Amino acid sequence: MSWIENILKDDNPATLEELIAKADQVRRMCRGDEVYLRGLIEITNYCQRNCYYCGLRRDNNALERYRLKAEEIIELALQAHKLGFQSLALQSGENPDRKTVDFLVRVVSEIRELTTRDGSIGLGITLSVGELSYADYKRLYEAGAHRYLLRIETTDPQLFASIHPPSQTLGKRLECLYYLKDLGYQVGTGIMVGLPGQTSDHLVADLQFFVDMDVDMIGLGPYIPHPQTPMGQKSVKSQVDPWVHTLKIMALTRILMPDINMVASTALQSLRPDGLKWGLRAGANVVMPILTPIEYREHYRLYANKNYKPFSQLKAEVEEAGFRLGLWQWGDSLRWAKRRQQSEENNEAGHMPAEEAM
Ligand code: SF4
């Protein structure tokens, strides 16, 4: 991937412009101009983990914790469905205990049941609730969740160890991603760009990982320090620029993997007011409007200065950037759909009498 290294190391603004133009062209050719919606509900900011960069970490005692009730989540889901959202993303800190998983199974199955009663496909559900056991991922899949986002953050073992406590390992994160793939989820992952100690070589390896892992969705964004975290209290510089390199990695991902879904992250929009427009131009085709009730939003901050945009403003910005919102559809990853079709064809061929299959 030496051409990628050259792009990442080249700080000429024209290189970024050319790369973004190419990504935009690829994305319009493969995915059109639609931008899919995932209504984001941040169900709890309790977290049993202690990532050094995250404001929700267990040891952040300054944070007021909350947990939405099942009825509140279901009501938000139904309201979103009425507005034209066809997909939800349920996100939270990591709480891999029995009670939490039982709760999630109940919420997911009720949302699916209530939104499919009329015979329609109902609300598609993406989960982003962290590392769980194979059995728990399976229960959630069987309850009706069909996409899962689990960011790897970085694929470099040393860099990973520098941003997580020793109890959280890269090996475990990878194992979970393989579990999710095995179960048939549309699997999303992603990284933070601009981490202290991160280099462009790390980013090249991360891109290679996306391709090798054959992921269906990408959600990546700039590292933004949070003042109530160990990393936010140190001022260690990265060799990569969080803004420029996030856009470059997004554009390169779209070029290397034309048929995936990619999110224009809230972090990118928090770094600059025109972040959404740039993210879409760099190849993103998914936005995640925040549906969490207003009174809880300020308590769900993984990083500082998180940007909240009303839906009407988000819609206007998507249109100003030359795209349109894809309402009333799941907007699945095309890559995943192709893989599933291929596997169904293989299964059918496998069941044919030998002479027909030849
Ligand atoms: S990044 Fe996720 S797992 Fe880590 S502390 Fe934050 S919410 Fe918890």
Side-chain angles (χ1 to χ4, degrees), residues 173-297:
R173 193 71 55 95
L174 284 167
E175 186 179 62
C176 287
L177 286 168
Y178 285 111
Y179 288 165
L180 293 163
K181 275 208 108 172
D182 187 62
L183 284 162
Y185 280 96
Q186 290 176 52
V187 177
T189 193
I191 56 166
M192 267 188 293
V193 180
L195 286 166
Q198 194 174 41
T199 64
S200 50
D201 289 347
H202 291 139
L203 297 176
V204 174
D206 295 339
L207 274 170
Q208 186 67 57
F209 169 76
F210 299 161
V211 174
D212 293 345
M213 182 82 198
D214 193 18
V215 291
D216 307 304
M217 310 178 292
I218 288 291
L220 60 89
Y223 165 62
I224 303 176
H226 186 296
Q228 282 148 357
T229 61
M231 276 168 61
Q233 284 156 11
K234 289 185 199 152
S235 59
V236 185
K237 281 262 173 209
S238 172
Q239 289 177 33
V240 299
D241 181 300
W243 170 257
V244 171
H245 283 86
T246 295
L247 292 175
K248 282 189 178 176
I249 296 295
M250 288 179 74
L252 287 163
T253 303
R254 175 58 71 197
I255 293 164
L256 292 169
M257 306 178 82
D259 48 4
I260 58 161
N261 276 351
M262 184 158 55
V263 182
S265 69
T266 313
L268 190 68
Q269 299 171 59
S270 301
L271 210 57
R272 275 185 37 174
D274 56 355
L276 177 59
K277 180 185 84 180
W278 281 88
L280 294 173
R281 285 184 57 219
N285 67 327
V286 172
V287 289
M288 298 174 76
I290 296 170
L291 306 181
T292 310
I294 290 168
E295 63 268 34
Y296 300 117
R297 290 184 189 176

Side-chain angles (χ1 to χ4, degrees), residues 9-71:
K9 286 178 181 157
D10 182 346
D11 53 12
N12 182 347
T15 306
L16 177 64
E17 275 298 335
E18 273 169 37
L19 187 66
I20 285 181
K22 178 71 189 163
D24 190 34
Q25 188 191 16
V26 169
R27 162 254 163 75
R28 283 177 193 275
M29 222 160 60
C30 294
R31 303 276 3 212
D33 63 354
E34 272 182 323
V35 174
Y36 303 119
L37 286 172
R38 312 281 181 252
L40 177 64
I41 304 178
E42 295 148 329
I43 56 184
T44 177
N45 64 357
Y46 279 93
C47 185
Q48 296 175 25
R49 310 285 190 213
N50 230 351
C51 307
Y52 296 151
Y53 50 84
C54 176
L56 304 195
R57 65 196 306 271
R58 187 183 64 220
D59 289 353
N60 181 5
N61 296 321
L63 183 65
E64 194 179 310
R65 304 280 172 173
Y66 73 87
R67 188 175 279 119
L68 294 184
K69 294 190 182 74
E71 295 67 31

